[in-house]
Every structure is written in structure tokens, then in C-alpha cells.
Amino acid sequence: MSLLLEGASKLQAIRWVRPRLDILDQLLLPHASTYIDIRTSADGHRAIATMQTRGAPAIAIVAALSLAAELLGSYEKVSAMGAEAAAALIEQRLDYLGTSRPTAVNLFDAITKLKAVVGRALASGHSVVDAYVDAAEAMLAADVADNQNIGRFGAEFIERHGGPLKVLTHCNTGALATAGHGTALGIIRSLHGSGELEHVFFTETRPYNQGARLTSYELLVEGIPATMVCDSAVSALLRSDPSIRAIVVGADRVARNGDTANKIGTYQLAIAAKFHGRDFIVAAPTTSIDLEMESGKGIVIEERGMDEVLVTEGFAADSVVDGQLERAAVRVAPVGVRAWNPSFDVTPAGLITAVVTEKGVFVKSEGAEEFNLLESLHK
Ligand SMILES: CSC[C@H]1O[C@H](OP(=O)(O)O)[C@H](O)[C@@H]1O
């Protein structure tokens, strides 16, 4: 079955045509657009851990579909195990996929949901496998629909300022981080689509350069007017251009009170937005909201190797040798220097103007420093 998803942008980070899963190798973007075949949950784990695929929603979907591909590749063998053994195998593989990256709650939300689906399908080995695959496929389709709603709600919220609008975004939250359209970049796509967007500024997003490599690529492909800035230039930019009305970012995990873990540098942007009196908007599907997490204090922040900070000016593909891309790794800092390289930081709810989800726009009560997302989501 081909899941050619209506509404997905021209870029597809994830290609699922049952039983085959291919993902765009984002380590090679923007210099090469290369799809890699993901046949097993081990392939999926590696692609997520190495950030060949990344972005909170995309991580969950690739994890789920990598196991779907594995199960379909050995359908009769797994089905013949019987319901209980097949379910146990699936649970073991899902727990393994959960060790790929710690911060994005979408992955753990998907694992919990998929285990529940399997637990309700124990009539036979076949029914367990069929139920798992159907549920994994549904996540792919649901994400695009969610992103379209996030885009619409977020655009309407920003348009209250009156257009045409200039906004700024951080990292990559578009079709390369989701099943299509995007979250914060989905709002930007929606503003552009309605003719309300004058210009978008985006940060290069050191040290992994999701902005310089991925957001730049998406905006160029879509023909959206954009300018890249260094992460360190944002305050000066806001001060120089009062018509930049909002900073819109994604999320890896939003706690019940609205504290938000997102790409490193987000917290600084929230402080800059507050100081300059601009909206600071978090765009995320409800699968990024962790209602069991009271505040951001409990969020595990992934730390990655120092080389991303010290060695490369970007994962630039330097040349093609015998058809293989040779990535350039340029040492910038001297040997021996140490670095601190958290992948994410936590922005306190008090600095956040609104959390935009597929279920609507949530704001804090008058005078409140925190959100009550448990109440907002269950109204
Ligand atoms: C809609 S993507 C959400 C989130 O994920 C990104 O992190 P990474 O590139 O390390 O996977 C970034 O924090 C985005 O805002």
C-alpha cells in the first residue's frame, strides 16, 4: 500500500510503501539527496541514533515503521510464533528502539501506544503483526494531518498582529523533521500559503547546523523568502527589525506546565523575544506533550559527542569519490580543548506566549507563569 500523503510537502524525509521503508539521509543534506533502505528495527535504531533521521515526530515514526518493515520481512515466521511470543518480540524490539535517543517524548508515546495495540490483538500471531503494522502506518498519516492543523492554528494566532508578517525560527521543524508539512515550519508554510508571510529568518543552529543544512534546503525548495542568521545574531536582529513579530520553534518534550525542551539555543531565543516584546511560540503535536512530566526539571537532556562542536563547521559533503560522498570534517578548535554539548535546553513556561498543537492554541491564564496543559487538553 502506498502512503502518498496528501498535504506532505514536496520533500519526504520518510517514504513508506509497504513493506519498504526508505529515509532521506539527513547527514548528507543539503549536498546530496540520498534515500537509505531501513529493513529492521536495528536499522531504525542506528538511523535515529546517528541522526540520519531526526526531529521528534520523525524519530517516532521511523522507529515504528522500521519494526513494521522487519515484521513484514519475516511475516510468516513471526506469525507462526503465536500471539504471545510475537507480542513479546515486538515489545522487546520497541524497548530497544526506545534507547536510540532520550529527549523527544514522541518516541516513548509511540512505543506505549503500539504496545497497547498489540496487547489488544492477541487472537493469533497474524493478528498481532497485522495490528502492529496498521497502527504504525496510521501514525505516519496522522502526523501530516496534525501538522496541517498546527500550521492553520499557528498562522491564525500570529496573523492577529496583522500582516504581512516576519517571523524567526530555530533548528529544523519541517518536512525533514516530521511526516510532512512540519510544526513550526508548518506554521511558516501555512503563513506563506495564505500570502501573509513577508519573510522568515532562521538560525544556522550550531553545532549540528539543522538550520544551515536542513531548514535552508526546505525553504529554498518551497520558494519561501528567507534569510539565515548566526545563532548569536538574533538579539541584534530583533532590535534592528521591529516588524519581526514572533519567534516560532518546535519541541522535543513539553511538560504539563508548559516548560519546553527543544534544540539548544531555544532558551536564549525566548529570553531575546521577551526582552524585545515579541511572541515566543512553541509548535508541537500533542504527542510531544508529556502530561506525566510536571515541569521541565525532570526532562532528560541528550548530550552528544564533542566533535560536533570542536571539529566540524558543518557536516559538509566535500566530494564524491567512486560514487560515495566524502564528508568534510574540519577541525576548528585546537586539540585538547574541552566542550559542553547538550543537544537541547529547557525554556520555562513563563517565557512562552503560546503552545500551538493540532487541537488548538493554548495560552496561560491571565497573570499565570505556567500553563495547565492537562486541563487544556481535556476540556
Ligand atoms: C518537529 S522537530 C522537533 C525538534 O526536534 C529537533 O531536534 P533534533 O534535530 O536533534 O532531532 C529540534 O529540537 C526540533 O525543534
Side-chain angles (χ1 to χ4, degrees):
M1 177 176 94
S2 163
L3 270 177
L4 289 177
L5 300 165
E6 288 307 311
S9 87
K10 298 172 191 130
L11 278 173
Q12 265 197 299
I14 304 164
R15 251 185 354 208
W16 171 258
V17 180
R18 190 188 282 203
R20 190 182 166 98
L21 173 64
D22 293 290
I23 63 165
L24 200 51
D25 184 345
Q26 298 190 30
L27 291 177
L28 302 182
L29 286 176
H31 307 288
S33 177
T34 305
Y35 281 89
I36 49 179
D37 182 7
I38 300 293
R39 293 170 186 257
T40 65
S41 51
D43 290 347
H45 186 285
R46 184 179 55 253
I48 294 165
T50 60
M51 294 177 71
Q52 285 178 302
T53 187
R54 29 67 49 201
I59 288 170
I61 293 164
V62 168
L65 288 175
S66 71
L67 180 52
E70 178 176 343
L71 294 171
L72 292 171
S74 51
Y75 184 75
E76 288 309 329
K77 182 180 168 203
V78 174
S79 300
M81 293 167 71
E84 296 297 337
L89 171 72
I90 288 171
E91 293 211 1
Q92 182 270 335
R93 294 288 197 274
L94 287 174
D95 289 340
Y96 168 63
L97 284 160
T99 65
S100 53
R101 289 184 76 189
T103 303
V105 69
N106 311 58
L107 174 58
F108 306 98
D109 177 75
I111 288 171
T112 301
K113 286 172 179 168
L114 290 164
K115 285 182 176 178
V117 164
V118 166
R120 294 192 297 269
L122 297 173
S124 69
H126 285 97
S127 64
V128 163
V129 174
D130 292 345
Y132 177 90
V133 174
D134 289 347
E137 288 184 339
M139 286 180 176
L140 182 68
D143 190 55
V144 176
D146 288 350
N147 287 337
Q148 298 287 357
N149 286 324
I150 291 169
R152 178 164 53 86
F153 289 135
E156 287 168 2
F157 184 74
I158 297 174
E159 285 164 6
R160 77 191 192 288
H161 291 298
L165 292 157
K166 293 181 188 176
V167 298
L168 180 136
T169 194
H170 185 57
C171 198
N172 174 258
T173 58
L176 293 172
T178 64
H181 196 67
T183 57
L185 211 50
I187 291 174
I188 289 165
R189 276 196 168 93
S190 297
L191 283 170
H192 177 65
S194 63
E196 292 298 327
L197 181 73
E198 180 179 341
H199 205 88
V200 56
F201 294 89
F202 64 98
T203 62
E204 60 179 350
T205 315
R206 287 278 297 146
Y208 214 75
N209 297 313
Q210 286 94 330
R213 296 187 299 114
L214 307 176
T215 296
S216 58
Y217 186 74
E218 289 207 41
L219 294 170
L220 283 172
V221 164
E222 303 268 318
I224 295 175
T227 300
M228 183 169 80
V229 297
C230 294
D231 302 4
S232 50
V234 170
S235 288
L237 175 67
L238 293 179
R239 188 174 188 178
S240 72
D241 188 344
S243 65
I244 298 173
R245 299 304 320 167
I247 294 180
V248 196
V249 298
D252 290 82
R253 192 181 295 245
V254 184
R256 201 164 63 218
N257 74 340
D259 291 351
T260 296
N262 195 53
K263 186 51 49 199
I264 188 72
T266 301
Y267 176 34
Q268 284 183 164
L269 296 182
I271 293 167
K274 188 79 172 180
F275 182 83
H276 293 90
R278 315 296 165 84
D279 283 353
F280 188 81
I281 296 166
V282 170
T286 51
T287 49
S288 298
I289 297 177
D290 183 352
L291 291 176
E292 291 176 21
M293 183 78 60
E294 185 181 350
S295 76
K297 293 188 182 69
I299 299 176
V300 173
I301 298 296
E302 177 190 48
E303 291 209 21
R304 296 184 72 89
M306 291 195 294
D307 277 359
E308 288 167 2
V309 189
L310 301 175
V311 174
T312 62
E313 271 302 287
F315 291 84
D318 188 36
S319 60
V320 178
V321 177
D322 301 332
Q324 291 302 313
L325 286 161
E326 291 286 320
R327 280 210 315 258
V330 176
R331 171 164 283 278
V332 175
V335 174
V337 69
R338 295 201 54 74
W340 179 56
N341 182 24
S343 252
F344 304 99
D345 55 27
V346 177
T347 298
L351 294 177
I352 299 171
T353 309
V355 175
V356 179
T357 75
E358 74 281 7
K359 295 184 175 172
V361 180
F362 301 130
V363 295
K364 300 187 286 284
S365 305
E366 188 68 35
E369 273 301 295
E370 297 186 338
F371 293 79
N372 184 338
L373 293 177
L374 189 63
E375 183 182 274
S376 303
L377 285 171
H378 292 99
K379 264 183 183 160

